[in-house]
Amino acid sequence: MLLLLLLPLAPRKVLISSPMQLGCLILGPRRIALFGAIAAVALTIIFYPLIVFTPFDPERVFINLSRVELTSGSEGEQSLNLEVAFNINNTNDITLTTSRIEYELFADGASVGTDTLSYEDVPLNGRPPLFPNSPTTVTDTFRLDYSDQRAELFDRVLNSSDQINWRVSGTATVESGTTLLQKTFSDEL
């Protein structure tokens, strides 16, 4: 028995008789399984947004004008800063967020100007969350510049801004983790 262990083994000769045997020699079953797993992971990463499409109804997101208040400015200055607050209520079953709200502000039916409230450079987890059936308030600073056509409005904002009929209309980009849709809104105080 010991003799058998001490005898040198003769090298094994492999005869390849077909291209199929050559393919199995180079690409064994383990390598084929490895390449298949790598391909599956790559395809999942590439097609992830299509696989995980999160459907929600943008018509079930309500954007209302909450308030318009003077935050800074006086009679001697050439501009006033107004705080425009939006109350957003999400009645969908999933938590959403907003990345952009573009709006036009009206005072007593006359356009005051347009502005954009943007969270596009903020990651999803830093944007205002729109939880289901829970109102969220977001605010924007609107700069109202003085002009001769706006002199009366400028004076009314300084003295009695609560007597102005404020109206807003615009579009908001509402999104879930993988889906973003546009929501058109209009509201007045």
Side-chain angles (χ1 to χ4, degrees):
M1 177 109 177
L2 204 63
L3 257 170
L4 289 174
L5 292 175
L6 294 176
L7 290 175
L9 297 174
R12 195 171 113 184
K13 294 182 182 179
V14 177
L15 295 175
I16 300 174
S17 62
S18 71
M20 179 79 158
Q21 286 180 333
L22 180 62
C24 288
L25 185 64
I26 294 172
L27 292 176
R30 288 184 180 172
R31 284 191 181 155
I32 292 172
L34 177 66
F35 290 147
I38 290 171
V41 169
L43 289 174
T44 301
I45 291 170
I46 292 169
F47 293 111
Y48 178 76
L50 298 176
I51 295 169
V52 189
F53 178 76
T54 311
F56 67 90
D57 185 8
E59 297 306 314
R60 293 183 59 196
V61 176
F62 302 99
I63 302 172
N64 299 316
L65 183 61
S66 177
R67 68 180 181 279
V68 178
E69 294 178 346
L70 177 65
T71 56
S72 67
S74 63
E75 286 187 35
E77 295 181 26
Q78 293 295 313
S79 66
L80 302 175
N81 287 332
L82 303 173
E83 181 182 82
V84 179
F86 297 100
N87 190 15
I88 305 173
N89 194 8
N90 171 23
T91 59
N92 286 285
D93 294 333
I94 59 173
T95 301
L96 303 172
T97 187
T98 182
S99 60
R100 183 180 186 91
I101 299 175
E102 296 176 357
Y103 64 94
E104 183 173 10
L105 186 65
F106 297 88
D108 292 329
S111 176
V112 176
T114 61
D115 202 7
T116 301
L117 175 60
S118 177
Y119 297 99
E120 291 173 322
D121 59 341
V122 178
L124 280 176
N125 60 356
R127 296 177 185 176
L130 307 177
F131 295 113
N133 301 312
S134 176
T136 302
T137 302
V138 294
T139 60
D140 185 33
T141 300
F142 186 91
R143 182 177 167 157
L144 178 63
D145 292 321
Y146 181 82
S147 68
D148 291 336
Q149 294 84 9
R150 294 185 182 158
E152 180 186 343
L153 174 64
F154 217 78
D155 185 51
R156 288 179 62 202
V157 168
L158 285 171
N159 297 322
S160 58
S161 66
D162 58 337
Q163 296 179 1
I164 298 173
N165 182 22
W166 295 103
R167 184 171 63 88
V168 68
S169 66
T171 60
T173 303
V174 180
E175 56 188 276
S176 66
T178 58
T179 308
L180 64 109
L181 298 171
Q182 297 292 321
K183 164 70 177 169
T184 303
F185 65 94
S186 181
D187 194 35
E188 66 181 70
L189 288 177

